[in-house]
Amino acid sequence: MKRKIALYMAFVLAAMPELYGCQSVFSKNETEFLSETLNTSSVLADETISQTEYENSEDENIAFFYQKDSRWENDNLGDSKYKMNDSGCLTCCVASVLAMSGYSADDLSENYNAGDVNRYFSENNIYDSEGNMLWEKLENLTGFTVEKTEEGDISNDLLDNYLNNGYYPIIRVRVNGSGNYHYVLITDKRDGEYRCMDPLCNENKTVPLSQFKNKIYAVRCLVK
């Protein structure tokens, strides 16, 4: 009887989706081996990242979006049950890229924010029923091409090439380097250190990639 219970618990644990991850850069039709709900669960409120004090005028040109901003924190991702405050890190990163790239659309106000972009995406069916971002639909809507790089092929040369060409890589990391999955945006490189716009940071300043132990699990970059 104990053996049957142990086997049953092992099966249940193996089948459970990750409960406290941020939104995944992988859509359902991109890779079959990832859990469909990997991207839809919340980052716990107490996992908001402690910030490294850093002041630099270069941060003034960056579009900062905080996923827990009261203006949009309770907005759903499309028709899914998931909201910006717990699963909106990827949307914030994409919104920042669009804003800094000068993207405009008739359905977006001139000085749009992450909440506006989420509504825009929701109205144009950019999310599936689980809140996953559908990259092909995003490409068709915005005119950007999404370049995808997996963990084994990520290098400093790849990131530097994007930055040198005016692009901003969206990267998958873990909170504080070892916690739940999370998405941040590399905005520049200073003194050999990559700086990131972090949707869990409620201050308008970048954080160093070293805050995530310099470990990147995937890259998605919107290019023209």
Side-chain angles (χ1 to χ4, degrees), residues 177-222:
S178 58
N180 301 313
Y181 285 119
H182 181 50
Y183 296 90
V184 300
L185 180 70
I186 295 181
T187 59
D188 59 295
K189 190 176 185 178
R190 307 173 202 169
D191 300 322
E193 174 101 77
Y194 293 109
R195 305 294 304 185
C196 306
M197 190 285 293
D198 178 14
L200 281 178
C201 176
N202 60 1
E203 299 178 67
N204 288 345
K205 60 183 180 183
T206 57
V207 300
L209 182 59
S210 58
Q211 186 160 297
F212 310 102
K213 306 294 178 64
N214 291 311
K215 178 66 174 176
I216 300 174
Y217 296 89
V219 176
R220 296 294 183 265
C221 194
L222 278 65

Side-chain angles (χ1 to χ4, degrees), residues 103-109 112 120:
Y103 176 78
S104 62
D106 292 339
D107 295 333
L108 282 173
S109 60
Y112 55 83
Y120 177 55

Side-chain angles (χ1 to χ4, degrees), residues 14 17 22 27 33 51 89-90 99 102 105 109 124 130 134-135 146-147 153 158 167 179 191 199-200 207 209 212:
C22 259
S27 64
F33 62 85
Q51 301 304 321
C89 52
L90 178 56
S109 60
N124 287 278
E130 293 297 323
L134 302 174
W135 292 113
V146 181
E147 294 187 352
D153 297 318
L158 173 76
Y167 299 126
D191 300 322
L200 281 178
V207 300
L209 182 59
F212 310 102

Side-chain angles (χ1 to χ4, degrees), residues 16-168:
M16 287 177 65
E18 186 156 349
L19 293 180
Y20 299 109
C22 259
Q23 192 174 26
S24 170
V25 293
F26 302 99
S27 64
K28 289 196 300 183
N29 57 3
E30 246 183 293
T31 178
E32 296 178 356
F33 62 85
L34 286 176
S35 165
E36 291 183 354
T37 55
L38 175 65
N39 69 327
T40 53
S41 312
S42 67
V43 171
L44 294 176
D46 60 3
E47 280 200 301
T48 298
I49 297 171
S50 58
Q51 301 304 321
T52 301
E53 291 299 324
Y54 188 89
E55 296 295 338
N56 193 300
S57 60
E58 294 181 52
D59 283 354
E60 295 176 0
N61 299 317
I62 297 169
F64 289 95
F65 295 125
Y66 178 48
Q67 68 188 75
K68 298 178 183 293
D69 190 302
S70 59
R71 290 173 293 174
W72 55 73
E73 64 176 338
N74 291 315
D75 293 351
N76 291 72
L77 303 179
D79 294 327
S80 77
K81 65 181 179 181
Y82 301 99
K83 300 179 183 296
M84 284 288 286
N85 66 354
D86 55 22
S87 299
C89 52
L90 178 56
T91 301
C92 286
C93 289
V94 174
S96 181
V97 171
L98 295 180
M100 292 190 291
S101 300
Y103 176 78
S104 62
D106 292 339
D107 295 333
L108 282 173
S109 60
E110 183 177 354
N111 297 312
Y112 55 83
N113 56 42
D116 297 324
V117 170
N118 178 52
R119 287 188 289 274
Y120 177 55
F121 284 175
S122 297
E123 291 166 358
N124 287 278
N125 302 312
I126 301 302
Y127 304 110
D128 68 11
S129 61
E130 293 297 323
N132 294 286
M133 191 170 290
L134 302 174
W135 292 113
E136 184 175 351
K137 287 190 175 183
L138 185 144
E139 290 176 328
N140 292 336
L141 178 67
T142 64
F144 282 88
T145 297
V146 181
E147 294 187 352
K148 307 162 187 174
T149 308
E150 313 311 330
E151 184 175 356
D153 297 318
I154 299 169
S155 66
N156 286 354
D157 287 343
L158 173 76
L159 301 177
D160 291 347
N161 184 62
Y162 280 137
L163 293 174
N164 290 337
N165 285 282
Y167 299 126
Y168 305 97

